[in-house]
Amino acid sequence: MLSAKSEQFLIELRMYLVQRGRSDEDIQGIVDELESHLIESEKNGKSVESIVGKDPKQYMKSIGASLPVATKELMVLIPATLLVILAYLAYIPALSGAFKLSQTVLWGIIPVILSLAVYSSLIFKVLPKLHAKPVKQGIIAVAVSTGVIGFWVAFYLWMVPETASAYFTATTGQNYVILAICLAIFIAYALYTKSWITIIVAALMSAGPLAENWIPQEVNEDPAYIALAIGGFVLIGIAIVWFLMSKRHKTA
Amino acid sequence: MADSTQMLKGILDGCILSIIEEGEIYGYELAEKLQSYGFQSFSEGSIYPLLLRMQKEGLVSSVQRKSTAGPKRKYYSLTEAGQVELEQFLGRWAELKQSVDAVITKGGQ
């Protein structure tokens, strides 16, 4: 079993290498090897500093410099990720039958890029440093999310007067075509990255518009059902937090 | 201490190849062996960037094996190119050692 400090070092190393475009296989290889080394060293009473030196950042750089950049993977992954982002932007309007290209949508790419930059620095730089402090991690994640959502709301309130200027408004048939293209992109990306996350996010995003279509108007606007739904989600949230905390407690 | 670390940089590759030549070995074992030979001033993890580079250059090959102590271990062995590199290192080292010895002995006289 690794100490929290060693675990944190391995997480920071992984994030550092991911950010610098090293291949998953190479990253897994070196992380496994160092984990095995750290386990044996700690059993013999050695500290993580005796393994990686006094400057872990410098050590990460030397590991990064020894691994090749996964150019081929990145040449596919970067355009594919941009395509998925565009698909996410088009998906909900098309699902609601209201896809259109307006100034709001086009300028909306700016907050999307800014949000991605904020979240990637949060995931790759800030959270790994707080590996042993989950409460602090949670507070920072909530604070950043509140800031990002606030920025989005302010941006759209500012852009609302421009929404009338739609360059292109999709017909019902075109909405279905856009929807089918988006779904194909999500499935292809999930197959390429061997991860369900793209599809799960799309499914979660669909819940609102689909529920609006299927749930009768009077039920949708009934305060009792609204309160019931909020209560249900709060309970699910509490259950997930409790499950994660008990899992963490067991592995600690 | 810092000076010996600087001196070590140029020769650690050859020492690692020489230890791997003795037989298949994994990272932790290799670091322990280096220390048992008297190399105390380096951080153990510094062997991994070197091993990664040597693997990229085809000097060593590796195979993963299960371990009872934790995650799989990566065992390294010398390739033919590694053997050639080791022989060249030994030649270079003998020359260097002879020159340094000559300078030191003269200086001492």
Side-chain angles (χ1 to χ4, degrees), chain B residues 33-107:
Chain B
K33 273 211 170 170
L34 278 167
Q35 285 182 336
S36 73
Y37 284 122
F39 291 107
Q40 300 289 342
S41 64
F42 78 109
S43 45
E44 290 178 22
S46 60
I47 59 169
Y48 292 106
L50 299 178
L51 286 167
L52 284 168
R53 183 171 48 74
M54 286 183 195
Q55 212 173 347
K56 202 160 67 180
E57 290 168 359
L59 305 178
V60 295
S61 59
S62 70
V63 62
Q64 285 203 318
R65 297 225 171 87
K66 277 184 185 171
S67 148
T68 48
K72 282 180 182 172
R73 282 176 183 157
K74 202 170 176 184
Y75 284 84
Y76 294 92
S77 50
L78 215 58
T79 61
E80 274 183 36
Q83 190 67 50
V84 172
E85 177 63 30
L86 176 61
E87 278 157 23
Q88 285 174 353
F89 166 78
L90 293 174
R92 285 196 302 269
W93 175 247
E95 274 176 34
L96 184 69
K97 187 176 180 295
Q98 202 177 9
S99 307
V100 174
D101 281 347
V103 170
I104 292 169
T105 315
K106 258 188 200 171

Side-chain angles (χ1 to χ4, degrees), chain A residues 72-85:
Chain A
K72 275 186 191 170
E73 283 178 36
L74 287 178
M75 277 171 76
V76 178
L77 197 64
I78 292 171
T81 306
L82 288 174
L83 203 62
V84 165
I85 292 167

Side-chain angles (χ1 to χ4, degrees), chain A residues 19-33:
Chain A
Q19 223 183 351
R20 272 146 191 86
R22 268 55 180 183
S23 78
D24 286 348
E25 203 185 335
D26 284 347
I27 295 171
Q28 196 55 48
I30 189 68
V31 169
D32 279 352
E33 202 168 17

Side-chain angles (χ1 to χ4, degrees), chain A residues 104-118:
Chain A
T104 313
V105 174
L106 295 177
W107 284 99
I109 291 170
I110 293 170
V112 168
I113 291 167
L114 284 175
S115 307
L116 283 174
V118 169

Side-chain angles (χ1 to χ4, degrees), chain A residues 103-247:
Chain A
Q103 280 193 19
T104 313
V105 174
L106 295 177
W107 284 99
I109 291 170
I110 293 170
V112 168
I113 291 167
L114 284 175
S115 307
L116 283 174
V118 169
Y119 275 110
S120 63
S121 90
L122 179 75
I123 291 167
F124 289 114
K125 294 203 167 158
V126 181
L127 296 185
K129 284 195 172 71
L130 301 167
H131 173 67
K133 296 167 184 164
V135 176
K136 242 185 180 176
Q137 274 187 337
I139 292 169
I140 289 176
V142 169
V144 169
S145 300
T146 310
V148 169
I149 293 166
F151 175 67
W152 274 83
V153 172
F155 179 83
Y156 277 104
L157 285 176
W158 175 61
M159 281 302 291
V160 159
E162 305 292 337
T163 49
S165 62
Y167 307 121
F168 166 76
T169 305
T171 61
T172 311
Q174 284 167 334
N175 275 313
Y176 282 126
V177 172
I178 293 166
L179 199 59
I181 293 170
C182 291
L183 289 171
I185 291 171
F186 297 146
I187 293 166
Y189 194 81
L191 289 173
Y192 178 72
T193 56
K194 296 186 185 73
S195 162
W196 287 94
I197 195 78
T198 328
I199 293 172
I200 291 170
V201 170
L204 290 173
M205 286 168 78
S206 320
L210 289 179
E212 259 195 10
N213 276 349
W214 292 338
I215 296 171
Q217 190 74 11
E218 63 277 12
V219 174
N220 197 23
E221 288 170 7
D222 188 326
Y225 283 113
I226 293 171
L228 206 65
I230 292 171
F233 277 108
V234 169
L235 284 177
I236 292 169
I238 292 169
I240 290 171
V241 170
W242 178 79
F243 171 74
L244 291 175
M245 282 178 79
S246 63
K247 202 176 160 192

